[in-house]
Amino acid sequence: LGQYYRAMHTAYITTPVGVFQAQFTSRGLAGLDLPTGRRVASRKTTDAPLPPVTQRWRREVERALLAVLAGRPPSKALPLDLSVGTPFQQQVWATLAAIPCGQTRTYSQIAAAIGRPTAVRAVGQACGANPIPVFIPCHRVLAAHGGLGGFSAGRKWKRLLLDCERGG
DNA sequence: CCCTAGCGGTGCT
DNA sequence: AGCACCGCTAGGG
């Protein structure tokens, strides 16, 4: 398996809706920060030098992000590093990753899917701890009775991502 | 619509 | 050990 470097490399990815910030470890994409209104225009967006593998991953993430925002599912799976989570969180995140594009689930359904039907609120917390939004699609999890539910980067982003996937 | 009680994982002390 | 968070939910005004 080789050595595992937890140290992160940061890369900035510019899109029509703002500048995303990606963190990479030696295993792949480990974190994605969505644009926060104030960072969009003025913040520095120049990457420090990246190792060649990371440069390639950066291009893949950029391509995938632009595809998602254009309403198309990404063509290839990205290397994701989800090693930071607890076992419970990793179960939740794996279940999120299995929700097909264009579909949604409720927090209760996720809880049932991992065999903890009453841990609904903990599922919500695990969704909030998801370090790779968009690609671990926590935005596809909605509240039980038609509510949008929360989103760590703000409900505005949740709606935008859902609109991208619904509109086609 | 609101409010409330109950829920379970996580992190801090 | 205890305790205060939370992207929740079902039930009842």
Side-chain angles (χ1 to χ4, degrees):
Chain A
L1 191 60
Q3 275 205 75
Y4 167 49
Y5 299 97
R6 178 102 272 282
M8 302 243 214
H9 289 99
T10 298
Y12 298 91
I13 298 175
T14 300
T15 76
V17 294
V19 179
F20 291 70
Q21 185 175 332
Q23 281 89 239
F24 295 93
T25 66
S26 64
R27 286 181 177 169
L29 180 67
L32 186 69
D33 293 337
L34 274 51
T36 66
R38 52 185 163 74
R39 180 172 26 219
V40 171
S42 59
R43 206 53 74 84
K44 140 188 151 160
T45 56
T46 307
D47 294 353
L50 299 173
V53 174
T54 310
Q55 285 185 39
R56 182 162 51 78
W57 290 341
R58 199 210 84 97
R59 279 198 306 276
E60 292 177 10
V61 169
E62 178 175 58
R63 183 180 175 79
L65 264 182
L66 292 173
V68 167
L69 294 170
R72 294 174 281 122
S75 48
K76 66 160 75 166
L78 300 166
L80 302 182
D81 180 356
L82 290 172
S83 59
V84 287
T86 66
F88 178 85
Q89 288 168 339
Q90 294 190 4
Q91 281 186 78
V92 170
W93 298 340
T95 306
L96 301 186
I99 307 174
C101 183
Q103 295 190 23
T104 63
R105 300 288 186 272
T106 66
Y107 295 94
S108 305
Q109 287 175 319
I110 303 300
I114 63 173
R116 311 278 255 269
T118 58
V120 176
R121 200 164 183 193
V123 164
Q125 189 177 350
C127 288
N130 167 25
I132 317 179
V134 182
F135 300 117
I136 298 295
C138 55
H139 58 281
R140 295 180 192 150
V141 187
L142 308 179
H145 298 296
L148 186 64
F151 198 68
S152 50
R155 294 161 190 251
K156 173 187 76 172
W157 280 110
K158 192 168 186 172
R159 269 188 292 268
L160 188 148
L161 291 168
L162 289 169
D163 287 347
C164 286
E165 298 181 346
R166 217 183 319 245

